[in-house]
Amino acid sequence: MTTVPSGSSSAPGSVPPLFAAFVDDTSLLLANGGAGVDAVVEGYLDARDGDHGDLLGRLACPVSRLSPLVTELARSAPAEPVDLALVVDSGLGAVPKALSTVFSRATLLTPRSVETSAPLDLDPVWLERVAEFVPDDVVAVVEPRRPITGDPEDVAAWLDAVRRVAEHGCEPKLRCGGPRPSDVPSVDELRRFFAIAAETGRAAALVGLGRLVRSADEAGVVQHGILNVLVAAARTADGAEGAAVVAALESTDAAALVAATRELDGARMAAVRKVLSRCGAGQDEVTALGALAA
């Protein structure tokens, strides 16, 4: 597809503002280890320097893989530093040393966010502790643990934690995919998550999106799509009824979802990104969305 959404000022070879720096590369976070650091770095740099590099956001890296990432970037010698999402996988106590490593490699990495999971019963003291570890010019991203039982009281407690994260000034994060049905939030949970982002004025981040349009994976688990969440965020930003947001999340009509993104003008694109700041996906999804956004 070669046209951009109506109202876009994008130049040839760039992407519309709706998609600018929208997809973080989360290849290094795969549970099975995924591709080697060398392959991930090569793919990320190739994508960043490609026709749709403006689509690419941060490279997400767990603290435990930071050292090999630095080694590989030093070998690759990127023309510009890589925007980094540092994901805490070894406790908050490891963050100062990791950030020190990042700041000492300013020609290779620029820290953009520090991201960590949180207990469901998080309190202001815990959130203040996170703030102590994260510099002012780096975004603190917190993922309250979503209950997998679907119990209404547990869901309500989770959403209350999401609201506390947003009101504290951190960016809420939600994991949207996985191999088990319980790993995937319901459309109503996602609708309510977006509603909190809109109400608090604190844009949210999603990770674990492995496809462009809602569909079942090889194991039969239905996964959310990147286009679905974009359209749902647009409808949330517009103040649409909950049913309209749910309909966007449940749609399997790729053409209709693409058309919905192309109807957004500049102001509405900006409003969408105030609800949904970015999403995390693999390099295949980055490539596919780049071709779509062209």
Side-chain angles (χ1 to χ4, degrees):
M1 300 180 183
T2 57
T3 57
V4 297
S6 173
S8 170
S9 59
S10 298
S14 66
V15 299
L18 178 66
F19 297 101
F22 179 61
V23 183
D24 293 346
D25 185 338
T26 58
S27 301
L28 291 175
L29 303 181
L30 296 178
N32 61 3
V37 175
D38 56 344
V40 171
V41 168
E42 180 180 7
Y44 180 90
L45 294 178
D46 285 349
R48 191 181 71 171
D49 297 336
D51 290 341
H52 311 301
D54 290 346
L55 167 73
L56 195 59
R58 304 160 193 172
L59 178 60
C61 179
V63 171
S64 61
R65 302 188 80 178
L66 180 60
S67 180
L69 174 63
V70 169
T71 298
E72 185 57 33
L73 284 172
R75 187 193 67 78
S76 302
E80 297 178 358
V82 167
D83 287 341
L84 177 70
L86 186 65
V87 180
V88 179
D89 65 341
S90 52
L92 287 174
V95 172
K97 181 179 179 180
L99 283 174
S100 177
T101 297
V102 174
F103 283 121
S104 70
R105 304 295 193 278
T107 60
L108 303 177
L109 290 165
T110 300
R112 297 300 184 189
S113 58
V114 173
E115 312 193 0
T116 184
S117 59
L120 185 60
D121 58 347
L122 66 88
D123 56 30
V125 174
W126 190 92
L127 288 169
E128 285 294 340
R129 184 163 180 256
V130 172
E132 290 174 1
F133 285 112
V134 181
D136 290 340
D137 56 349
V138 177
V139 178
V141 182
V142 177
E143 179 188 357
R145 290 191 178 92
R146 183 183 64 83
I148 62 175
T149 61
D151 179 88
E153 291 187 3
D154 291 342
V155 171
W158 163 65
L159 290 168
D160 183 60
V162 170
R163 185 177 295 277
R164 291 200 300 274
V165 166
E167 291 177 345
H168 194 79
C170 299
E171 183 175 275
K173 184 168 79 171
L174 174 60
R175 195 166 307 276
C176 284
R180 302 168 299 181
S182 59
D183 294 329
V184 182
S186 70
V187 293
D188 187 63
E189 288 170 344
L190 193 46
R191 174 192 67 80
R192 296 168 72 183
F193 181 82
F194 280 155
I196 291 173
E199 291 165 8
T200 61
R202 189 67 187 178
L206 303 179
V207 293
L209 293 164
R211 54 207 60 235
L212 292 186
V213 177
R214 178 180 175 87
S215 58
D217 61 17
E218 295 78 5
V221 178
V222 176
Q223 306 283 350
H224 293 292
I226 296 174
L227 291 175
N228 296 85
V229 298
L230 268 171
V231 176
R235 292 181 180 178
T236 301
D238 287 342
E241 295 292 332
V245 178
V246 168
L249 292 170
E250 291 181 337
S251 175
T252 58
D253 188 337
L257 292 169
V258 169
T261 66
R262 295 186 184 280
E263 291 172 357
L264 301 174
D265 60 20
R268 292 182 69 207
M269 289 185 194
V272 171
R273 297 297 295 275
K274 290 180 181 179
V275 173
L276 176 58
S277 64
R278 57 199 172 89
C279 71
Q283 291 182 350
D284 289 345
E285 288 72 44
V286 172
T287 300
L289 191 59
L292 179 69

